[in-house]
Amino acid sequence: MVTIYDVAKLAGVSAATVSRVVNGRSSVDAGLAARVQQAMAELDYRPNAVARNLRRQKTSIWAVIISDIGNPFFTSLVRGVEDVGQAAGYSVVLCNSDEDPAKEARYVAAALAEQMAGVIISSTGKAANLSRLVDAGTPVVAIDREVRAAAVDTVLVDNAHGADLATSHLAEQGYRRIACITGPRRLPTAQRRLQGYRAALTAYRLEPDDNLVRYGDYREEGGYQAMASILDSGAAPDAVFAANNLMTVGALECLVDRGITVPAQMGVVGFDDIPWAHLVRPSLSTVVQPTYELGRTAALLLVERIAEPTRPLSTVTLRTELKIRDSSAPREQRFR
Amino acid sequence: MVTIYDVAKLAGVSAATVSRVVNGRSSVDAGLAARVQQAMAELDYRPNAVARNLRRQKTSIWAVIISDIGNPFFTSLVRGVEDVGQAAGYSVVLCNSDEDPAKEARYVAAALAEQMAGVIISSTGKAANLSRLVDAGTPVVAIDREVRAAAVDTVLVDNAHGADLATSHLAEQGYRRIACITGPRRLPTAQRRLQGYRAALTAYRLEPDDNLVRYGDYREEGGYQAMASILDSGAAPDAVFAANNLMTVGALECLVDRGITVPAQMGVVGFDDIPWAHLVRPSLSTVVQPTYELGRTAALLLVERIAEPTRPLSTVTLRTELKIRDSSAPREQRFR
DNA sequence: CTGTTAGCGCTTTCAA
DNA sequence: TTGAAAGCGCTAACAG
């Protein structure tokens, strides 16, 4: 390995001068700088980031800990983070907790041990993991999922409002027995979306019925099972609001398997878009989240938090939007 | 920050002893070890990985550099890598090069600077990036895309064979003017898949026609444009083989926009599955890759390479499989 | 503007 | 089995 001393020796200067040239912080005589540059090129010198990190007590890497790499929701979110992070001079690495608090804990430990410059995390719900970061003084931004027990900057979408939009839309289209498949009880997003659903029922004077509500796992399989369970319960829904993208897919699969046509026999609206929603037949109505913006905003907050660790906490809530496609066509269609 | 010396002082031993307890390599008197353990717990000591890395000249992190985090192909591949990596004691972080050689170069530089223990990479095609890793002695495994100019372990699928399967299948179904949308010229996977396509045409005595072939960018948009270009060229295809999942989606969109029905007016087979391929209407016939196995195999190779840096290079080729769904129904259907 | 020097926190010889 | 001491490669006071 070529060290800074090798370069210094070849250029006939001290290691400190090489360091100055490399980091461009302090000014160096142009002639010396040129010699150093040449020596670096000649030796193909690459600064050892580990040594630098040790000395500086921090890295220039951000960790983005996401809860499910298989969920396309995170894809453009990550792009948003990357674009801001790269521009600010950070490398962004992704860690996949897979909705597993233990795996999340491992990545949090790694982020801590490796002295990551900052962490953006979509929490599995275990606040302790987040607190560990905060306590260690690592700049953190929570994304998508608020964590009440930890004091961190947060970027959310208006979950309740989005769910309300979706459910209200179904009500307006003439559906009367609207089911809801929400996420795990422990997750605030799941709770909020359920709240929004209930608010819409109330607004439209539709009777709430617990038989129409299920808690899924935010996975395809869970959506399938929840849908099956609702159908089997005899609750006789005529529409369903599924609180995330993968569960919507699962629910649709169940409907296909049972020979229930959408939207003629069952209206469907999902929360969070899926790629190719328009290719799925019928095309899927969904509550669209500004995923790229979500990532961008989180990254911006992180940059600010790093620059000013004591600034007051902030929570940014982004708007969702209802994208109406075919799966929630007016109920009346059935009778045409 | 709590250091090893704080622990040593509290436990009344030397830092070396604490280190021994932490790493469990060398044996330590049980009584002392217990005292050290207690001191660590009391102080909530967390070893500083950066310092350890500097001293040991390597980390326990793997970087997986993928070319497009938006492509679901990489999702389960990453899971395969993670499962093996975690079991072997490594943390796995993901880097998204976004098909951009410059971005890739940045992540390669980061992996090098951070002394990553190993790298698994789906190359953008710029061999120099890979060579840099190899030259620095970093254990590397190339995945999905072979890199001829660099000497690395490689895990591939039988691209030519898969493309041949897909094209032959279309031919057997009665399609006669089969178009091909392959990937970027620079990528070996694109070349191989095109080869497979051509081989099938030959086998079925179908006349090759360059108007039926396009080089896309492996993105949705590129698939759309390639499809449009083929249609506009007057080449009059009756089927299309698209060489990756996202381009298949793009091609389908184009067909939808033009009011061309699948498979009645156009048979379609894609390479590489997409999630919800069965929900898309018509459901998509695709060449399925063993993505999880691909990741697993790469990780296994990496483990071996790390253990034995001088072992001979190996290339593992995994089988693809044709999944026949509705988009490639027999041509005769049209006349029924 | 430049060089000297002292560590960052840890592991690992080497002696005891 | 344990401790002392050196040093991984770099940066940042501090002097000059």
Side-chain angles (χ1 to χ4, degrees):
Chain A
M1 162 169 266
V2 180
T3 76
I4 202 167
Y5 287 101
D6 300 325
V7 176
K9 191 181 296 174
L10 182 59
V13 298
S14 74
T17 298
V18 177
S19 174
R20 289 181 186 112
V21 171
V22 169
N23 295 296
R25 285 152 156 17
S26 171
S27 59
V28 176
D29 176 84
L32 281 194
R35 258 168 42 213
V36 170
Q37 294 284 9
Q38 186 175 346
M40 291 197 298
E42 204 159 311
L43 298 172
D44 192 27
Y45 169 67
R46 305 172 168 285
N48 180 327
V50 177
R52 166 184 293 167
N53 296 341
L54 177 59
R55 178 62 226 227
R56 295 224 263 239
Q57 303 280 42
K58 70 147 81 136
T59 66
S60 59
I61 296 188
W62 285 353
V64 178
I65 304 177
I66 60 185
S67 56
D68 182 3
I69 198 207
N71 190 331
F73 166 70
F74 290 109
T75 297
S76 66
L77 185 153
V78 166
R79 288 235 173 80
V81 173
E82 271 180 342
D83 289 350
V84 173
Q86 304 260 6
Y90 296 95
S91 293
V92 178
V93 302
L94 275 44
C95 311
N96 174 33
S97 71
D98 240 348
E99 298 285 8
D100 176 354
K103 243 176 130 177
E104 179 181 85
R106 271 233 283 281
Y107 281 116
V108 164
L112 237 33
E114 301 288 340
Q115 320 248 71
M116 299 289 192
V119 174
I120 292 177
I121 181 170
S122 158
S123 170
T124 59
K126 199 174 170 202
N129 286 337
L130 246 166
S131 304
R132 197 158 297 151
L133 288 167
V134 175
D135 294 348
T138 305
V140 182
V141 175
I143 195 160
D144 181 47
R145 302 176 180 180
E146 64 192 304
V147 179
R148 280 173 287 236
V152 293
D153 292 306
T154 304
V155 184
L156 304 171
V157 296
D158 52 355
N159 289 296
H161 178 248
D164 189 338
L165 274 181
T167 313
S168 295
H169 166 63
L170 284 168
E172 273 164 22
Q173 298 291 75
Y175 297 95
R176 287 292 163 267
R177 299 276 302 161
I178 305 171
C180 175
I181 303 175
T182 190
R185 279 172 207 274
R186 70 172 194 285
L187 295 184
T189 53
Q191 296 159 14
R192 294 259 182 283
R193 292 172 195 177
L194 182 58
Q195 278 170 18
Y197 158 80
R198 288 193 167 134
L201 291 191
T202 305
Y204 283 84
R205 299 175 188 282
L206 297 176
E207 198 169 340
D209 177 351
D210 279 350
N211 277 326
L212 288 173
V213 173
R214 291 293 182 285
Y215 293 85
D217 59 0
Y218 274 167
R219 307 268 179 121
E220 206 170 318
E221 181 60 19
Y224 188 102
Q225 283 168 6
M227 189 75 249
S229 160
I230 292 172
L231 293 172
D232 292 340
S233 75
D238 61 2
V240 60
F241 161 63
N244 95 330
N245 49 7
L246 300 184
M247 292 198 307
T248 309
V249 169
L252 278 175
E253 277 164 347
C254 178
L255 294 173
V256 168
D257 285 358
R258 304 269 180 129
I260 297 172
T261 60
V262 175
Q265 295 174 280
M266 183 82 66
V268 175
V269 177
F271 198 110
D272 191 26
D273 224 356
I274 60 170
W276 320 300
H278 49 296
L279 286 179
V280 170
R281 289 289 171 273
S283 59
L284 267 183
S285 298
T286 55
V287 177
V288 177
Q289 307 192 60
T291 46
Y292 180 86
E293 272 307 315
L294 223 42
R296 237 186 87 76
T297 307
L300 257 15
L301 284 182
L302 188 54
V303 167
E304 290 175 8
R305 171 68 48 206
I306 289 171
E308 200 186 332
T310 60
R311 74 195 283 271
L313 293 176
S314 67
T315 295
V316 178
T317 305
L318 268 32
R319 277 260 157 212
T320 55
E321 205 176 294
L322 181 64
K323 189 111 189 177
I324 299 172
R325 299 198 186 89
D326 298 337
S327 66
S328 59
R331 182 71 175 138
E332 289 73 25
Q333 268 199 347
R334 186 182 175 181
F335 307 110
R336 273 179 198 160
Chain B
M1 162 168 265
V2 180
T3 75
I4 202 168
Y5 288 101
D6 299 324
V7 176
K9 191 181 297 175
L10 182 59
V13 298
S14 74
T17 299
V18 177
S19 174
R20 290 181 185 114
V21 171
V22 168
N23 296 297
R25 284 145 152 28
S26 168
S27 61
V28 176
D29 175 84
L32 281 195
R35 258 165 47 210
V36 170
Q37 293 285 8
Q38 187 176 345
M40 291 198 296
E42 204 160 310
L43 298 172
D44 192 26
Y45 169 68
R46 304 170 168 286
N48 181 327
V50 177
R52 167 183 295 165
N53 295 342
L54 176 59
R55 178 60 226 231
R56 296 225 261 239
Q57 304 279 43
K58 71 146 82 132
T59 67
S60 60
I61 296 188
W62 284 355
V64 178
I65 304 177
I66 60 185
S67 57
D68 182 3
I69 197 206
N71 190 330
F73 166 69
F74 290 108
T75 298
S76 66
L77 185 152
V78 166
R79 289 238 173 77
V81 174
E82 271 180 341
D83 288 351
V84 174
Q86 304 261 7
Y90 296 96
S91 292
V92 177
V93 302
L94 275 45
C95 310
N96 174 34
S97 71
D98 239 347
E99 297 286 8
D100 176 353
K103 245 176 128 175
E104 179 181 85
R106 269 231 284 282
Y107 281 115
V108 165
L112 236 32
E114 301 287 340
Q115 321 248 73
M116 298 288 192
V119 174
I120 292 177
I121 182 171
S122 157
S123 170
T124 59
K126 200 176 170 200
N129 286 336
L130 245 166
S131 304
R132 197 157 297 151
L133 288 167
V134 175
D135 294 347
T138 304
V140 183
V141 175
I143 195 161
D144 180 47
R145 302 176 181 180
E146 65 193 304
V147 179
R148 280 173 286 236
V152 293
D153 291 306
T154 304
V155 184
L156 304 171
V157 297
D158 52 354
N159 288 296
H161 178 247
D164 189 337
L165 274 181
T167 312
S168 295
H169 166 62
L170 284 167
E172 273 164 23
Q173 298 290 75
Y175 296 94
R176 286 293 163 264
R177 299 277 302 160
I178 304 171
C180 174
I181 303 176
T182 189
R185 280 173 207 275
R186 70 173 194 286
L187 295 184
T189 52
Q191 296 159 13
R192 294 261 181 283
R193 291 172 196 177
L194 182 59
Q195 277 169 18
Y197 158 82
R198 289 194 167 132
L201 291 191
T202 304
Y204 283 84
R205 300 173 190 282
L206 297 176
E207 197 170 340
D209 177 351
D210 279 349
N211 277 326
L212 288 173
V213 173
R214 291 293 182 286
Y215 292 85
D217 59 359
Y218 275 166
R219 307 268 179 122
E220 206 170 319
E221 181 60 19
Y224 188 103
Q225 283 169 6
M227 190 73 249
S229 160
I230 292 171
L231 292 172
D232 293 340
S233 74
D238 61 2
V240 60
F241 162 62
N244 94 330
N245 49 8
L246 300 184
M247 294 199 305
T248 310
V249 169
L252 278 176
E253 277 164 347
C254 178
L255 294 173
V256 168
D257 285 357
R258 305 268 179 129
I260 297 171
T261 59
V262 175
Q265 296 174 280
M266 184 81 65
V268 175
V269 177
F271 198 109
D272 190 26
D273 224 356
I274 60 170
W276 319 300
H278 49 296
L279 286 179
V280 170
R281 289 290 170 270
S283 59
L284 268 181
S285 298
T286 55
V287 178
V288 176
Q289 307 192 61
T291 47
Y292 180 87
E293 272 308 314
L294 223 42
R296 239 186 85 77
T297 307
L300 257 15
L301 283 183
L302 188 54
V303 167
E304 290 175 8
R305 171 67 48 205
I306 289 171
E308 199 186 332
T310 60
R311 74 196 283 270
L313 293 176
S314 66
T315 294
V316 178
T317 304
L318 267 32
R319 277 261 157 209
T320 55
E321 203 176 294
L322 181 63
K323 188 109 189 178
I324 298 171
R325 299 199 187 88
D326 298 337
S327 66
S328 59
R331 181 73 175 135
E332 289 71 26
Q333 268 200 346
R334 185 182 177 178
F335 307 109
R336 272 179 198 161

